[in-house]
Amino acid sequence: MSPAVIAVVNQKGGSGKTTTVINLGVAATQDGKTVVIVDLDPQASATAWRKARAAKSPLVQPTHPAGLADLLKVAEGQGVDWVIIDTAAQTDSNAAQAVEIADLVLIACRPSVMDLRAVANTIRLCRLRDTIPRVVLTQVEPQGTLQDEARTSLTQLGVEVLPGGLGRRAAFHHSIIDGRSAAEYEPSGKAAQEVRALYDAVCQLLDEASTNERSKVSARA
């Protein structure tokens, strides 16, 4: 069976892509899945996180867009459940390759005016490839109305915003230093709860995508 492929994209830097990728990857691993994180970002933040990590999983594999197809073949042969792609900022070709092969595309976006203005380009890139992205709000302030305002703005752009989001919490920052996730750093903390909610939402979306694909196959038979 082919692995489920999740691409986390945003052509604006500092949007929380890598934080989303590694925390989602660890959550899936803790749930018994075999996970490979693909690091397409030349800054290699996910790769650096893996080098600092004591646990053996999830695996992080740096590559370039041209190497994605071969990497997915290897992942399928090894029985990998999820492939999560961390993309670079400001690179159309990088994000486009990931979007085209993904079963699910997540746009990591901070609820700030500059980020909301910039995210339209990433949404456009997805739509040009007939892909429906979902937005994960990141670095959300625990108080204030910015999250609600961001949800309204993104809804007006015609994209679905996943419930909750990842807050601006110390656990996300401190855990990365020694190669952990927020749930490993502070298992009962609010950051861990947010990651679990995101993981549950992603599982549901992947199940829906799989069901839709099975329906298409049945219709063609």
Side-chain angles (χ1 to χ4, degrees):
M1 180 180 293
S2 299
V5 181
I6 305 161
V8 181
V9 302
N10 192 326
Q11 292 168 284
K12 186 179 185 304
S15 61
K17 293 189 297 293
T18 301
T19 297
T20 301
V21 164
I22 62 179
N23 280 278
L24 187 58
V26 172
T29 299
Q30 291 177 330
D31 196 35
K33 292 180 173 60
T34 302
V35 178
V36 173
I37 293 172
V38 178
D39 193 351
L40 290 185
D41 191 345
Q43 293 185 359
S45 298
T47 302
W49 170 82
R50 181 66 186 88
K51 290 178 179 178
R53 183 168 174 77
K56 294 182 179 180
S57 59
L59 175 70
V60 176
Q61 178 63 55
T63 189
H64 47 82
L68 277 174
D70 288 340
L71 192 152
L72 287 179
K73 289 180 182 178
V74 172
E76 181 176 358
Q78 295 180 347
V80 172
D81 298 305
W82 279 18
V83 172
I84 309 176
I85 306 174
D86 189 13
T87 58
Q90 301 176 343
T91 309
D92 283 350
S93 60
N94 184 297
Q97 289 279 357
V99 166
E100 286 183 355
I101 67 170
D103 300 299
L104 175 63
V105 176
L106 302 177
I107 300 177
C109 181
R110 297 182 301 183
S112 70
V113 172
M114 296 302 294
D115 285 74
L116 292 171
R117 288 174 178 170
V119 79
N121 289 330
T122 304
I123 294 171
R124 190 177 304 114
L125 181 145
C126 293
R127 288 175 174 165
L128 285 172
R129 285 154 182 83
D130 296 322
T131 297
I132 301 173
R134 274 79 172 188
V135 174
V136 178
L137 290 178
T138 63
Q139 301 182 39
V140 177
E141 296 290 350
Q143 297 180 341
T145 62
L146 284 179
Q147 179 178 178
D148 293 336
E149 293 169 6
R151 289 181 181 278
T152 298
S153 298
L154 289 163
T155 299
Q156 291 172 350
L157 290 174
V159 290
E160 178 185 353
V161 185
L162 296 185
L166 304 182
R168 186 186 294 275
R169 303 193 187 281
F172 288 119
H173 171 74
H174 293 309
S175 61
I176 288 177
I177 295 172
D178 61 356
R180 287 185 287 174
S181 71
E184 291 169 324
Y185 177 81
E186 193 176 21
S188 60
K190 291 184 178 179
Q193 295 172 13
E194 292 168 349
V195 172
R196 283 192 289 270
L198 173 61
Y199 173 71
D200 289 344
V202 167
C203 287
Q204 183 174 346
L205 288 169
L206 286 173
D207 184 61
E208 290 173 2
S210 178
T211 300
N212 290 338
E213 186 60 30
R214 288 195 297 269
S215 297
K216 291 179 186 177
V217 171
S218 298
R220 290 195 296 265

